[in-house]
Amino acid sequence: MSIQPPASPDRPGGFAALREAEARLSTRLYLKRGVQLVRGEGARVWDSEGREYIDCVSGHGVANLGHAVPEVTAAIAEQAQRLVSCPELFYNDRRGELLALLDAITPPHLTRFFLCNSGTEAVEAAIKFARLATGRLDVLAFMQSFHGKTQGALSLTWTPEYRKPFEPLLLHARFAPFNKPQALAEALTDQTAAAIVEVVQGEGGVRPATTEFLQALQAGCRDRGALLIVDEVQTGFGRTGRLFASEHAGLEPDLVCLAKSLAGGLPMGAVALTEAIDAKLFPRAHSSTFGGNPLACAAAVAAIRYLLDRQLPARAAELGERFLTALRGLKSPLIREVRGLGLLAAIELKARSRDYLEALMEEGVLALAAGPTVIRYLPPLVIEPAQLDLVVEKTAKVLGQPSRA
Ligand code: PLP
């Protein structure tokens, strides 16, 4: 049987035919926007009609380094020609290189690493590790949290719209108010295996945690013998102006979940954990076929080196400050609040954000939602100051006001 593809991007009309095929064949799970992205470079992407956009979606925070980074693509190409798959049944040179790098960049007390393929998988693994290590079942999460959509992670994700249709989920998941240190004494019990927290709640509306809250959470966990899991899936790798967001509050988490930009755009997740937790794991208690594959490891090594060599966390701090200040200077009556840390930034509107996101796209800026009334910006950390200024200008335009007061 010979199967003909519906079209080729290289032939006339090819893009349109392939877009139609995707619209017809993909599930209804994703609410797609009406453009077909085909190419990227730095902080810019292009659609199939040749229109250019400043990309403040960055693949939902994956493209911290921007698109088509020569160092990363070369590492992927080189590894693809050498060895793509190698399960953890065997040692692999690239995996060893990545583990050594993760060991060097994470806090000194985190000395073991589990490799997987996504953020939700990192959260699943962290929950299992915490339960094994403590012998307890309860996991505490926070209101407005987002930790993923597989069944375990979903049970720790606040949004009832995502969670309720699938209940009962993981039993023993509890939610406490975010940023309310006074609520922790009751929320943490001697049955709590772990508390899981985002230093800046991303999907839940870009809400930074206060240092007071995070410190109280850490102290409460220690008091109760519970473990602290910090979900750095969105905040990690420089996004908030530090390599890891937990550094802002001086946290020493027992487990850290990583994913998104870890491998420069290839799918990869990881959990960093302590020696003491690792000592409670047993062979085959958890595993992943693709986890730690050499291709993703090679990409991650190249991506992390690039991030460090160019000091992108510091760049995110500096540009983030400039960006947030400019957004706070906008005088539109539509704006309820501007929030963020580093280059994880958002405007909460007094109206639904969907039409404004569409309008921004018309103006050549891609941004995303974080709840119904939020415009969220996740630009690559390599974005040029002039490009960020243009994002502010276009935002001012769509919110109906001149860019500066
Ligand atoms: N945790 C956080 C904080 C996230 O922002 C996300 C995704 O947005 C996830 C977990 C889930 O990651 P993934 O979509 O890779 O499963």
Side-chain angles (χ1 to χ4, degrees):
M1 184 169 78
S2 122
I3 298 176
Q4 294 301 320
S8 153
D10 310 322
R11 290 200 217 111
F15 283 129
L18 292 169
R19 179 171 144 171
E20 186 279 323
E22 184 174 340
R24 186 164 41 82
L25 298 169
S26 189
T27 61
R28 63 189 60 227
L29 292 171
Y30 295 98
L31 294 169
K32 294 200 198 278
R33 303 219 196 139
V35 299
Q36 184 185 37
L37 299 181
V38 295
R39 187 166 71 83
E41 191 185 319
R44 295 176 302 165
V45 287
W46 285 265
D47 70 14
S48 47
E49 280 153 30
R51 279 203 65 191
E52 178 181 321
Y53 303 85
I54 299 178
D55 185 12
C56 295
V57 171
S58 296
H60 288 252
V62 165
N64 281 13
L65 311 183
H67 299 280
V69 181
E71 287 81 346
V72 177
T73 50
I76 293 171
E78 192 272 331
Q79 190 62 38
Q81 291 171 39
R82 198 145 70 86
L83 187 66
V84 169
S85 53
C86 170
E88 294 237 13
L89 183 59
F90 304 101
Y91 290 101
N92 172 258
D93 55 339
R94 284 286 180 239
R95 191 183 306 129
E97 199 179 356
L98 174 61
L99 293 175
L101 201 49
L102 287 174
D103 187 37
I105 64 172
T106 50
H109 69 288
L110 299 175
T111 52
R112 298 279 176 166
F113 304 88
F114 171 74
L115 300 175
C116 52
N117 315 288
S118 66
T120 202
E121 280 177 77
V123 171
E124 295 289 339
I127 300 167
K128 285 179 71 177
F129 298 167
R131 284 180 154 188
L132 264 186
T134 59
R136 301 176 181 182
L137 291 175
D138 290 5
V139 183
L140 179 68
F142 294 95
M143 293 171 181
Q144 289 89 41
S145 62
F146 186 91
H147 298 294
K149 288 186 180 167
T150 51
Q151 310 249 0
L154 179 60
S155 61
L156 304 171
T157 285
W158 168 251
T159 316
E161 180 194 341
Y162 300 154
R163 195 161 37 84
K164 290 281 176 202
F166 302 99
E167 286 183 341
L169 286 158
L170 178 73
L171 301 177
H172 311 287
R174 303 182 54 180
F175 291 95
F178 185 66
N179 267 345
K180 291 238 164 61
Q182 62 277 23
L184 292 171
E186 198 187 320
L188 288 162
T189 73
D190 53 15
Q191 293 305 308
T192 311
I196 182 164
V197 72
E198 295 157 89
V199 174
V200 182
Q201 292 187 323
E203 304 295 312
V206 185
R207 297 168 204 280
T210 63
T211 298
E212 186 201 1
F213 171 68
L214 293 171
Q215 284 293 341
L217 178 61
Q218 177 164 289
C221 285
R222 301 278 189 269
D223 274 1
R224 294 289 190 170
L227 299 173
L228 177 63
I229 306 172
V230 175
D231 181 344
E232 294 256 15
V233 166
Q234 188 155 156
T235 53
F237 298 100
R239 168 66 52 197
T240 68
R242 295 286 187 91
L243 189 53
F244 300 109
S246 45
E247 293 170 30
H248 290 284
L251 291 182
E252 286 196 7
D254 302 292
L255 300 121
V256 176
C257 299
L258 301 168
K260 291 212 192 266
S261 75
L262 164 59
L266 287 198
M268 185 173 230
V271 183
L273 53 140
T274 62
E275 199 69 36
I277 296 172
D278 184 60
K280 298 286 174 78
L281 308 184
F282 59 89
R284 295 195 284 272
H286 199 63
S287 57
S288 163
T289 297
F290 286 119
N293 71 78
L295 191 67
C297 288
V301 167
I304 294 169
R305 289 201 191 291
Y306 189 93
L307 182 87
L308 298 177
D309 287 351
R310 285 167 182 72
Q311 301 179 355
L312 294 185
R315 183 183 170 90
E318 200 183 310
L319 290 181
E321 187 75 41
R322 172 191 173 116
F323 187 47
L324 284 164
T325 303
L327 293 179
R328 288 192 177 108
L330 299 179
K331 290 288 179 256
S332 168
L334 281 165
I335 297 176
R336 189 181 299 285
E337 193 183 18
V338 172
R339 296 188 290 263
L341 191 62
L343 283 175
L344 175 48
I347 301 177
E348 169 119 37
L349 300 178
K350 294 176 190 160
R352 296 182 87 76
S353 58
R354 202 179 56 195
D355 291 349
Y356 297 98
L357 290 168
E358 283 289 330
L360 267 178
M361 194 168 80
E362 292 292 310
E363 293 291 331
V365 173
L366 302 182
L368 68 167
T373 56
V374 171
I375 300 178
R376 176 173 36 150
Y377 303 88
L378 291 171
L381 315 186
V382 296
I383 193 166
E384 293 299 330
Q387 291 173 317
L388 266 186
D389 291 347
L390 197 59
V391 172
V392 176
E393 195 182 308
K394 298 296 186 187
T395 302
K397 183 171 174 194
V398 306
L399 297 181
Q401 289 292 312
S403 62
R404 280 171 190 84

